Amino acid sequence: MKITDEDIKELKSHANEARKSIIEEVYLAGSGHPGGALSVVDILTVLYFNQMNIDPEKKDDLNRDRLVLSKGHASAALYAVLAERGYFPKEELKSFRKLGSSLQGHPDMNKVPGVDMSSGSLGQGLSVANGMALASKMDSKGYRVYCIVGDGEIEEGQIWEACMTSSKYNLDNLCVIVDNNNLQIDGEVTKVKKSVYPLKDKFEAFGFEVFEVDGHNIDELIMTFQKVRQTKGKPSVVLAKTIKGKGVKFMENSVEWHGKAPKEEEYKLAMKGLEEMGD
Amino acid sequence: MDIENKKATRESFGEALAEIGKDNENVVVLDADLAGATKSGIFSKEFPDRFFDIGIAEQDMIATAAGLSTCGKIPFACSFAVFSTGRAYDQVRNSVCYPKLNVKICGSHAGITVGEDGGTHQMLEDINLMRGLPNMVVFSPSDDTQTKWIVNEMTKMKGPQYIRTCRAKSPKIYDENQEFNFGKAIQIGDGKDATIFATGICTSEALKAKEELEKEGINVRVVDIFTIKPIDEEIIIKCAKETKKLISVEDHNIIGGLGSAISEVLTDKYPAKLIRMGIKDTFGESGKAEELMKKYNIDKDSIINCVKK
């Protein structure tokens, strides 16, 4: 499908709106994970607005594409994009992480429309996505499954167990996306566990078709996901180079913002920056 | 009880799986390189397209089953109890029970009766682990007929369930006409001297003890608790009222298993003393199943001694 400049502009606008929602969610909650949410929000926007075969009006359609946010702590981004896409009113985002809210700290599939799998305990989502992709194949439904993992998350051994399963069953309807911002709670991935790298060689060795992309470049993301679709006979992984905290200057590349909410002044500063970016 | 007609509950489980596979094409089976031992291999031969050998990766297996279930499949994920509930505990917790998915966790080779493989493989804490999880149902069958009924029932039920089966053979207790009801224990006999609450492989030991005691004029009843969660509160309270002595016996640690579950009911509803027979907070060791049952005091003779004491 041909993508016009107008389409790109619209996607950028959605991503920027979602960024504002993330900041507001986390600010109002007084807690949450803004850094990893901001790094993954462009990817989520492109998937939910441009790539996935989904319809908020038919959220339980058996033939819909699925997405597993394995790095469940980026929930603020998933909720922001789902609300932006029309799954539920944006007003609900204000209840994020509060008592009685459907928007739990980590996504709950039984509470939030559009969430295909509960997640939060790292390393499990890729196996779940494999199960979904297998079911799609068994029933010849043809739906696709996307799974977003963090680069720190892939230190979990289960990810590599799952990779072997993805390639054993030639899951070419599966697309894994690594949110590669190179920061985890204890610091840079290169310092905490530098042997996470090289990513490309590892995934290739595990039988994946590997794509590399700037995870904040909407054009590039679209083109990459289009190429992913052409891959036959094996699973794909998109290594998305990202910036933790992307879009809010003082949060960018700062591990401090992994799991911390902005104070009032910081909130205002962040929102002002995002307003300007949107103009 | 037919002492001569023996079969391991894992075998009955495997046969039942292959049987339900014929009736329900949404049933899928996963294993982690133990299909020959867990008996899921019987299903794999009949339905190779609905069988997934995930390899030696139990955590991956459980979460893959979770994914399959979200798309309408009815997955039975099989391994030794020590791995499917222990190794993959967090996957069972967070990817199955928390989202309340329709995944059947199957643990064969439970208990000390695994025998020669020794303590690393003798799972004595699985009932404890699984029963502590919200949304989970726990089944612990005692014979062939009951195991098959349970597998069939699991296919119809929605949500997370755990079934615990054994490697060692046990006698056939129930004939094909026996009626079972979910969450309801089976009372055998109505003796008033003692109630022996039993589960799994220990139920037949309790029945053997009952027969011998009768010859000496001691009349006991056996209550086969095959659904440990939810537990049959009614029958526990009834037996506490009607019998002089209460005993529980299980091939599981006395912490957190059947005895604990019964104690919780008694504490809440009808305070009474319960003697908990089981593995006394220790790991097992290598040996023959029957030798181990004797050494760890969960066999017929130990039950008789306990009743008489």
Side-chain angles (χ1 to χ4, degrees), chain B residues 35-49:
Chain B
T38 65
K39 301 298 172 188
S40 72
I42 306 172
F43 181 97
S44 79
K45 284 195 189 74
E46 297 272 334
F47 308 102
D49 296 342

Side-chain angles (χ1 to χ4, degrees), chain B:
Chain B
M1 183 168 64
D2 183 354
I3 289 282
E4 301 306 316
N5 189 357
K6 282 186 162 188
K7 195 187 271 185
T9 47
R10 63 173 166 142
E11 188 87 40
S12 314
F13 165 79
E15 290 170 7
L17 267 189
E19 200 56 39
I20 55 163
K22 288 179 195 159
D23 303 330
N24 193 327
E25 60 182 31
N26 282 324
V27 170
V28 295
V29 175
L30 300 90
D31 206 302
D33 197 42
L34 287 170
T38 65
K39 301 298 172 188
S40 72
I42 306 172
F43 181 97
S44 79
K45 284 195 189 74
E46 297 272 334
F47 308 102
D49 296 342
R50 288 193 267 145
F51 178 80
F52 303 101
D53 197 333
I54 301 297
I56 309 167
E58 296 80 11
Q59 304 169 72
D60 184 35
M61 173 181 72
I62 298 294
T64 304
L68 282 158
S69 78
T70 66
C71 297
K73 302 295 168 196
I74 306 173
F76 285 75
C78 314
S79 185
F80 288 178
V82 70
F83 306 130
S84 62
T85 71
R87 181 71 179 242
Y89 177 76
D90 189 46
Q91 286 70 20
V92 175
R93 182 186 190 275
N94 281 308
S95 287
V96 176
C97 288
Y98 182 72
K100 212 176 176 178
L101 291 174
N102 194 22
V103 176
K104 324 297 175 182
I105 312 293
C106 312
S108 72
H109 295 64
I112 204 152
T113 47
V114 165
E116 292 82 349
D117 273 358
T120 53
H121 284 55
Q122 294 162 348
M123 186 43 154
L124 302 171
E125 310 94 48
D126 55 326
I127 297 176
N128 190 12
L129 287 172
M130 294 298 100
R131 144 181 126 76
L133 286 169
N135 299 327
M136 183 60 100
V137 165
V138 178
F139 291 112
S140 169
S142 60
D143 90 330
D144 176 61
T145 316
Q146 197 178 62
T147 305
K148 287 175 175 164
W149 181 85
I150 290 171
V151 172
N152 204 33
E153 196 67 9
M154 287 170 83
T155 313
K156 293 184 247 167
M157 288 171 71
K158 283 261 173 13
Q161 293 126 30
Y162 172 56
I163 180 168
R164 172 185 224 247
T165 58
C166 293
R167 171 175 181 262
K169 291 179 176 175
S170 49
K172 193 174 173 78
I173 299 172
Y174 305 104
D175 66 35
E176 314 310 326
N177 302 320
Q178 174 71 43
E179 193 187 320
F180 298 107
N181 289 298
F182 174 66
K184 288 286 161 203
I186 307 266
Q187 182 178 333
I188 301 164
D190 55 5
K192 292 191 170 24
D193 293 325
T195 300
I196 305 162
F197 297 106
T199 193
I201 203 160
C202 290
T203 301
S204 53
E205 294 300 308
L207 287 169
K208 287 182 218 163
K210 174 180 175 292
E211 261 175 55
E212 280 198 27
L213 286 162
E214 263 162 27
K215 290 176 196 154
E216 298 182 43
I218 301 169
N219 295 310
V220 305
R221 64 182 69 175
V222 172
V223 176
D224 179 14
I225 301 193
F226 65 92
T227 316
I228 294 181
K229 186 186 177 186
I231 200 158
D232 187 349
E233 296 190 354
E234 206 179 320
I235 206 163
I236 292 167
I237 297 162
K238 176 173 158 287
C239 292
K241 286 178 180 168
E242 291 176 358
T243 57
K244 291 180 200 146
K245 199 169 189 178
L246 302 174
I247 298 166
S248 64
V249 57
E250 61 194 304
D251 183 6
H252 184 277
N253 194 338
I254 55 162
I255 296 176
L258 174 69
S260 293
I262 296 168
S263 303
E264 288 158 15
V265 176
L266 293 172
T267 303
D268 287 351
K269 305 274 169 75
Y270 194 84
K273 181 177 171 173
L274 172 77
I275 301 161
R276 288 175 296 140
M277 300 180 75
I279 315 304
K280 297 194 165 49
D281 198 22
T282 180
F283 290 110
E285 60 181 304
S286 292
K288 288 195 168 65
E290 51 273 29
E291 291 170 345
L292 291 162
M293 287 185 90
K294 196 173 184 62
K295 176 168 180 181
Y296 289 87
N297 299 312
I298 55 169
D299 66 335
K300 174 199 73 174
D301 292 335
S302 307
I303 298 169
I304 291 172
N305 290 339
C306 183
V307 171
K308 286 183 173 174
K309 228 190 285 180

